[in-house]
Amino acid sequence: MRHLPVLCFLSLLTSCNWFASKEAKTQELVNREMREIDWNDVDNYPLFENCDETLTKTGQRECFERELLEHCGKTLREFDYEFEEGTNTTIQVDFLVDQNGHISILDIEKDGSIDNQMPEFDQIVAESLKNLPTLAPALKRGMPVKAKFRIPIVFNTK
C-alpha cells in the first residue's frame, strides 16, 4: 500500500506528454521540419515561358541560365562600346528573383577599367534584366520563394 502513492506520482510524471495539447505537438513537428529544410537550394528554378517545367532540376537550371544569358547578350550587343585592346575582365552580377518572378539587381562587381571605358554599364545591365520576358518564380515545397543568382559577364578583347 505504501508504494501506491509513489507509483501514482511516477505515472503522473511519465504521462505528462499525454496531456500536451495537439497544437503544441503540431508546432513542435513544424519547427523540426523547418530546421531540416535546406533553404539554400530550391526545388524548382525560375522558369521562362519557353522552359519546360517537367524538366529535371538540372534541366530547369540550364534552361533558365541559357535564356537569361541569351537575353543579356542580345541587349549588350545592341550597344556600341569600345574597349581597349587586351581587356580581359569578368563582371559578376548578383540579382534576386522574388516570389512574384520580378528581378532586381543586388550588386555588380567589376573593376575600375570597366567604369572608365563604359560608365553606363550598370544601367545597361539593369535595363536588360528589367526587360526580361515573363518569369515564373523559384519554388520550394510548392511555394514561390525568392532566389538569388550570380551571372558572369566576360569581356575579352584580343
Side-chain angles (χ1 to χ4, degrees), residues 30-91:
V30 168
N31 290 341
R32 187 175 335 139
E33 185 72 19
M34 295 297 280
R35 286 189 302 269
E36 293 175 3
I37 294 175
D38 179 7
W39 291 106
N40 294 320
D41 193 24
V42 294
D43 297 335
N44 298 88
Y45 279 85
L47 294 175
F48 293 97
E49 287 181 355
N50 59 341
C51 291
D52 183 1
E53 65 185 40
T54 62
L55 290 172
T56 64
K57 189 174 170 180
T58 303
Q60 290 178 356
R61 186 190 79 231
E62 289 170 355
C63 185
F64 169 70
E65 290 173 352
R66 181 180 59 251
E67 293 294 317
L68 180 72
L69 293 174
E70 282 178 14
H71 180 77
C72 288
K74 179 182 171 192
T75 302
L76 286 172
R77 284 189 292 275
E78 291 174 358
F79 289 90
D80 289 328
Y81 48 86
E82 292 183 25
F83 288 108
E84 295 172 3
E85 190 160 330
T87 298
N88 184 8
T89 188
T90 300
I91 299 166

Side-chain angles (χ1 to χ4, degrees), residues 10 15 17 20 22 26 49 51 59 63 72 83 109 111 118 121-122 125 132 144:
L10 288 176
S15 66
N17 280 340
K22 288 183 181 181
T26 302
E49 287 181 355
C51 291
C63 185
C72 288
F83 288 108
E109 293 178 16
D111 61 34
M118 192 178 173
F121 180 78
D122 289 7
V125 171
L132 280 171

Side-chain angles (χ1 to χ4, degrees), residues 83-155:
F83 288 108
E84 295 172 3
E85 190 160 330
T87 298
N88 184 8
T89 188
T90 300
I91 299 166
Q92 301 291 340
V93 180
D94 296 327
F95 63 96
L96 181 77
V97 178
D98 71 12
Q99 61 270 25
N100 297 315
H102 300 118
I103 293 181
S104 57
I105 294 178
L106 300 174
D107 188 33
I108 298 177
E109 293 178 16
K110 61 187 179 307
D111 61 34
S113 68
I114 296 298
D115 282 333
N116 294 335
Q117 296 178 58
M118 192 178 173
E120 68 279 1
F121 180 78
D122 289 7
Q123 290 80 21
I124 293 170
V125 171
E127 193 66 29
S128 175
L129 291 176
K130 183 176 139 185
N131 292 328
L132 280 171
T134 304
L135 186 64
L139 299 177
K140 184 72 175 179
R141 302 242 172 153
M143 299 294 295
V145 294
K146 296 177 185 178
K148 188 168 118 175
F149 297 95
R150 172 175 271 207
I151 56 170
I153 299 174
V154 179
F155 289 104

